[in-house]
Amino acid sequence: QALQAIAADLKNVAAQQKLTAASYDKTDTSLTALSKKSEELKSKLAAQQKQYDTLSKALKDYTSQQEKAQATIQKVQAQYDKEKAKLEQIAAQYGKQSQEYKNQAKVVDELEQQLKELNAQYEKNETTIKKTQAALTSSEADIKKTKTQMQDLGEKAQKAGQDAGKLGLAVENSGK
């Protein structure tokens, strides 16, 4: 849900950027236009950072859960191996038709089913972790791109400020 909310925020920021782009000519370097673009980039960066933080926390949580799942699988596997060895002993001692064997076979079957389910869930979680890692990498790239855009915009603003200063001097000098 948090990721959906962040995605909605990013769509909103993108819509604001389209509106600003439509409002200003691409070559418009007025300080007002640059200021508006700067605010939009700051908003976009904040949303992207929020998305990155959410993904980073989710990845940490998924990884922690996966480690616990691995430990559970190992415990169940050890129990399965122990119960299966016991089943083989019962088979040798009482035969495969005995009630003891049937009872132990049921225990082994249940553990085997539990292992299958745990392993299936583990694989599903691995896929989720890989997708989250990919989304995190993409989010990091988006942040870098936005920071570069902000840097470029800062350079344009500095140039526009210098141009405005030169214009002011020229106006001042022409009046003398």
Side-chain angles (χ1 to χ4, degrees):
Q1 288 179 342
L3 290 177
Q4 289 174 346
I6 292 167
D9 287 347
L10 287 172
K11 285 182 183 178
N12 186 28
V13 169
Q16 289 174 350
Q17 283 184 313
K18 285 182 182 178
L19 178 61
T20 300
S23 300
Y24 299 101
D25 186 301
K26 284 199 181 257
T27 60
D28 188 0
T29 57
S30 71
L31 292 177
T32 304
L34 294 174
S35 177
K36 178 80 173 161
K37 289 176 187 178
S38 174
E39 289 303 314
E40 287 177 3
L41 286 173
K42 285 178 187 176
S43 176
K44 181 179 179 181
L45 182 62
Q48 289 172 332
Q49 188 63 51
K50 186 176 178 183
Q51 179 186 35
Y52 178 86
D53 292 344
T54 300
L55 287 167
S56 183
K57 182 182 181 313
L59 182 60
K60 184 179 177 183
D61 291 346
Y62 292 150
T63 302
S64 175
Q65 290 171 7
Q66 196 69 335
E67 288 170 359
K68 290 175 185 174
Q70 180 64 34
T72 300
I73 288 171
Q74 289 173 348
K75 286 179 185 176
V76 173
Q77 182 67 51
Q79 184 66 29
Y80 171 80
D81 293 342
K82 178 182 169 186
E83 296 297 334
K84 188 161 180 158
K86 189 175 178 181
L87 178 66
E88 291 170 5
Q89 287 176 336
I90 291 172
Q93 187 175 2
Y94 300 105
K96 292 184 177 184
Q97 300 303 317
S98 69
Q99 188 61 41
E100 290 89 353
Y101 180 87
K102 290 176 184 176
N103 291 343
Q104 186 63 23
K106 185 177 178 182
V107 170
V108 170
D109 289 345
E110 288 172 359
L111 286 170
E112 183 176 18
Q113 183 61 35
Q114 186 180 3
L115 267 176
K116 286 179 183 178
E117 290 170 5
L118 288 169
N119 282 317
Q121 184 62 46
Y122 185 87
E123 291 302 317
K124 183 178 175 185
N125 292 347
E126 279 294 309
T127 301
T128 300
I129 287 172
K130 288 177 184 175
K131 286 180 181 179
T132 303
Q133 285 172 329
L136 188 62
T137 301
S138 177
S139 179
E140 188 175 5
D142 290 344
I143 287 170
K144 286 180 181 179
K145 181 179 177 184
T146 301
K147 284 182 177 179
T148 299
Q149 290 172 339
M150 289 177 77
Q151 185 177 2
D152 291 347
L153 188 63
E155 291 169 3
K156 284 182 184 177
Q158 185 177 9
K159 184 178 182 318
Q162 289 171 352
D163 290 348
K166 288 177 186 175
L167 179 60
L169 281 175
V171 169
E172 191 177 301
N173 290 334
S174 68
K176 290 182 179 178

